[in-house]
């Protein structure tokens, strides 16, 4: 007995039978736990993501005060708008020697083949070889191309009809040099804030006329949403103006029965127009700063009727960051004199020509300006 006193006896338990009911109960317990974990995780994610947005919405100030507007459905990229790779045949000139050559002019005489580029300028050659410059920050100038001497014609500080010119953009000159037509993109936003101007949809752009004899400035059109490129017709009976934000080109009649009237020359462009220049066919070259793809998705078309979303975006992101949402796409249109599309040159994804501010035709070549590229592009028209 003493040998067994230290031993402990264990009662054998009967085998446990797992019923369907107990198995269901365990499954429900595991499912309830998993559901609880999922709800906690989801709630944490929502709070982490939405809380900063809510704080930004309530506390941060938006730099813009956008108004809702809308576009028509972009035109289909078919027919003369059919995508191609023709702009990829362009060569780069002055690579890494320039910063955003927006506008191009060709000087006569011995310097005929040397393009002159400007930033942030619109450049034209007058009837006597004089250069005329529209400078975004300073105003309208006359420049002696030999000596480089400059004469101020219209200062950007000048108040015209109660508004100061904050963003002088482009110009065109009559053949006799008497009249200069130029654009002031906005009286609120300067060039460095052009993204705000587009996203806000500010309607304070103007088309101006400067008389070189009387020295007087007259406002021909106002309430334009980003008045941009400007070009006289071959007969000088009207002036075309790019209304960039609205993806259209306006026309102002300066002679004839419709003098003083204005209408739309081309509505619902497949992109956002910049400068307009004459083509050898009697029509016009139009540089496009961005594409409105169809088929495809246009972020600017989507945001136009949603001011609350534009406010939120600019509360959270800088101007430079927002441009990353706009895909690069090189596009140039040639319009006929009646406003129809004659042909188009493309560079999908902007591999060689990421964006075009101006297309200037000279001696069989198309010189392509850009508002941010470090080069000037040149396309041989005989090869495309």
């Amino acid at each position: 007995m003493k040998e067994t006193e230290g031993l402990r006896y264990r009662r054998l338990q009967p085998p446990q039978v797992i019923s369907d009911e107990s198995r269901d109960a365990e499954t429900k317990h595991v499912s309830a736990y998993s559901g609880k974990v999922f709800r906690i995780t989801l709630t944490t994610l929502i709070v982490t993501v939405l809380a900063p947005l809510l704080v930004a919405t309530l506390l941060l100030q938006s730099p813009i005060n956008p108004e809702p507007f809308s576009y028509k459905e972009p035109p289909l990229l078919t027919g003369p708008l059919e995508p191609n790779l023709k702009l990829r045949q362009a060569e780069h000139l002055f690579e890494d020697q320039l910063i955003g050559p927006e506008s191009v002019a060709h000087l006569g005489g011995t310097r005929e083949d040397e393009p002159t580029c400007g930033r942030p300028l619109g450049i034209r050659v007058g009837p006597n070889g004089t250069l005329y410059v529209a400078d975004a920050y300073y105003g309208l100038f006359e420049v002696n191309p030999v000596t480089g001497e400059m004469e101020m014609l219209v200062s950007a500080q000048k108040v015209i009809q109660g508004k100061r010119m904050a963003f002088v953009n482009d110009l065109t000159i009559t053949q006799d040099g008497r009249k200069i037509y130029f654009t002031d993109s906005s009286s609120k936003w300067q060039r460095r804030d052009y993204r705000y101007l587009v996203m806000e949809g500010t309607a304070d752009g103007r088309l101006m006329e400067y008389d070189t004899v009387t020295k007087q400035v007259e406002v021909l059109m106002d309430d334009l949403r980003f008045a941009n490129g400007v070009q006289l017709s071959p007969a000088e009976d009207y002036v075309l103006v790019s209304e960039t934000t609205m993806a259209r080109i306006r026309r102002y009649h300066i002679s004839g029965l419709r003098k003083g009237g204005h209408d739309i020359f081309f509505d619902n462009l497949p992109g956002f127009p910049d400068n307009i220049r004459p083509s050898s066919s009697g029509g016009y070259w139009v540089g496009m700063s961005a594409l409105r793809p169809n088929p495809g998705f246009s972020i600017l078309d989507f945001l136009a009727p949603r001011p609350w979303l534009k406010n939120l975006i600019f509360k959270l992101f800088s101007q430079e960051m927002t441009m990353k949402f706009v895909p690069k796409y090189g596009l140039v249109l040639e319009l006929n004199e009646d406003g129809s599309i004659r042909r188009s040159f493309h560079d999908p994804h902007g591999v060689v020509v990421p964006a075009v501010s101006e297309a200037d035709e000279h001696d069989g070549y198309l010189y392509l300006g850009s508002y941010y590229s470090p080069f000037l592009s040149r396309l041989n028209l005989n090869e495309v």
Side-chain angles (χ1 to χ4, degrees), residues 61-71 195-202 225 245 299-317 322:
Q61 292 292 323
S62 173
I64 61 175
N65 184 27
E67 297 179 1
F69 60 93
S70 60
Y71 300 100
R195 303 172 188 89
Y196 289 158
L197 174 57
V198 173
M199 296 300 267
E200 186 177 70
T202 315
R225 297 181 191 268
T245 300
I299 182 65
L300 295 178
D301 284 53
F302 175 77
L303 292 175
R306 299 172 173 85
W308 63 271
L309 185 54
K310 289 193 279 189
N311 272 326
L312 180 59
I313 288 173
F314 279 101
K315 285 181 178 181
L316 299 174
F317 303 106
T322 60

Side-chain angles (χ1 to χ4, degrees), residues 234-246:
E236 298 191 350
D237 54 346
Y238 62 79
V239 178
L240 298 180
V241 182
S242 291
E243 192 174 15
T244 299
T245 300
M246 299 308 296

